[in-house]
Amino acid sequence: NAGVMQNPRHLVRRRGQEARLRCSPMKGHSHVYWYRQLPEEGLKFMVYLQKENIIDESGMPKERFSAEFPKEGPSILRIQQVVRGDSAAYFCASSLGRGEADTQYFGPGTRLTVL
Amino acid sequence: GQQLNQSPQSMFIQEGEDVSMNCTSSSIFNTWLWYKQDPGEGPVLLIALYKAGELTSNGRLTAQFGITRKDSFLNISASIPSDVGIYFCAGPNYTGANSKLTFGKGITLSVRP
């Protein structure tokens, strides 16, 4: 019974390159959340998606960041032209979408380092 | 926006001791969640609280949802070395179908053998 999977676990990019982070939700889950964690900080919400739809992207930076959750395949968080400040751990969580009592299950995260 | 406050940032205890962590908010939450994060891993849900005043246990862990709905505490009894990690409180900012979570900054727990 696989949990939420994320890959790669570690990603190193040089400034100006693109970073693609993948998230496969738990089986049967159609709701995906992305969060970012800076060192010694809590997780900060970025974006919430359901299959093929972005529901809430209020936590996403306005430029360079995008997310998708296609009908088939994993959810992708894409960061274009990365800068040093993008270095962080990025977590996705999936859920069944049961309203206020919904439980989010987190993946192990992708640790992005920008050189 | 909503904020959850956790302090101190770090706690150091002896193996076998009990420890209590608090989480407060300036606004009301209808659900309180406690997560633990091990180094290099994602957060794992420990306890979920859904009603004001609710007291819930999970093994050596006990958590309570404050009556005012603006605070919660987590107790760990008889600590063991594997309790080491970062403990986060979190609450959903529920708007319609969206339950995005607000997290506190976490408390790093160290347990001395």
Side-chain angles (χ1 to χ4, degrees):
Chain A
N1 196 14
V4 179
M5 294 196 291
Q6 289 188 250
N7 67 80
R9 293 290 302 271
H10 299 274
L11 182 62
V12 179
R13 284 288 178 266
R14 296 192 182 280
R15 280 179 295 170
Q17 291 185 320
E18 178 181 288
R20 281 177 161 257
L21 288 61
R22 295 175 199 79
C23 169
S24 296
M26 283 180 71
K27 189 175 181 181
H29 288 189
S30 59
H31 298 246
V32 166
Y33 298 79
W34 284 93
Y35 295 83
R36 177 164 63 177
Q37 184 179 32
L38 295 171
E40 298 187 7
E41 293 281 329
L43 282 70
K44 297 275 197 272
F45 168 79
M46 299 181 74
V47 62
Y48 164 49
L49 311 102
Q50 295 179 24
K51 279 287 186 183
E52 300 185 272
N53 291 306
I54 296 174
I55 307 301
D56 182 346
E57 56 184 346
S58 58
M60 287 274 270
K62 297 293 180 211
E63 298 176 347
R64 302 187 296 107
F65 284 70
S66 62
E68 62 178 17
F69 189 13
K71 188 176 179 182
E72 301 290 337
S75 176
I76 307 283
L77 179 68
R78 183 178 174 211
I79 312 172
Q80 294 178 289
Q81 298 176 315
V82 296
V83 301
R84 289 228 173 99
D86 296 333
S87 295
Y90 293 82
F91 293 95
C92 85
S94 74
S95 75
L96 288 169
R98 294 186 298 182
E100 203 162 18
D102 200 27
T103 298
Q104 295 181 27
Y105 297 88
F106 283 82
T110 294
R111 277 135 191 95
L112 172 66
T113 301
V114 179
L115 301 176
Chain B
Q2 292 176 312
Q3 281 189 318
L4 292 174
N5 304 304
Q6 292 184 263
S7 65
Q9 196 171 3
S10 303
M11 299 181 80
F12 300 86
I13 60 173
Q14 199 76 31
E15 184 178 356
E17 286 182 340
D18 300 346
V19 62
S20 184
M21 304 175 190
N22 204 38
C23 182
T24 61
S25 171
S26 57
S27 54
I28 286 172
F29 280 89
N30 292 322
T31 299
W32 285 82
L33 307 168
W34 284 92
Y35 284 87
K36 182 192 178 201
Q37 185 179 27
D38 290 329
E41 298 296 330
V44 173
L45 182 65
L46 299 174
I47 291 183
L49 302 156
Y50 300 110
K51 290 183 186 175
E54 180 182 357
L55 185 72
T56 297
S57 293
N58 178 8
R60 293 178 297 107
L61 307 177
T62 302
Q64 184 152 32
F65 190 154
I67 291 289
T68 64
R69 292 192 286 163
K70 290 186 177 181
D71 66 324
S72 174
F73 72 75
L74 174 72
N75 277 354
I76 305 173
S77 62
S79 59
I80 59 178
S82 62
D83 290 333
V84 164
I86 306 176
Y87 291 81
F88 292 100
C89 60
N93 180 9
Y94 181 64
T95 53
N98 183 353
S99 294
K100 60 189 178 186
L101 295 176
T102 297
F103 280 82
K105 288 193 174 184
I107 293 175
T108 300
L109 179 66
S110 299
V111 179
R112 289 187 291 262

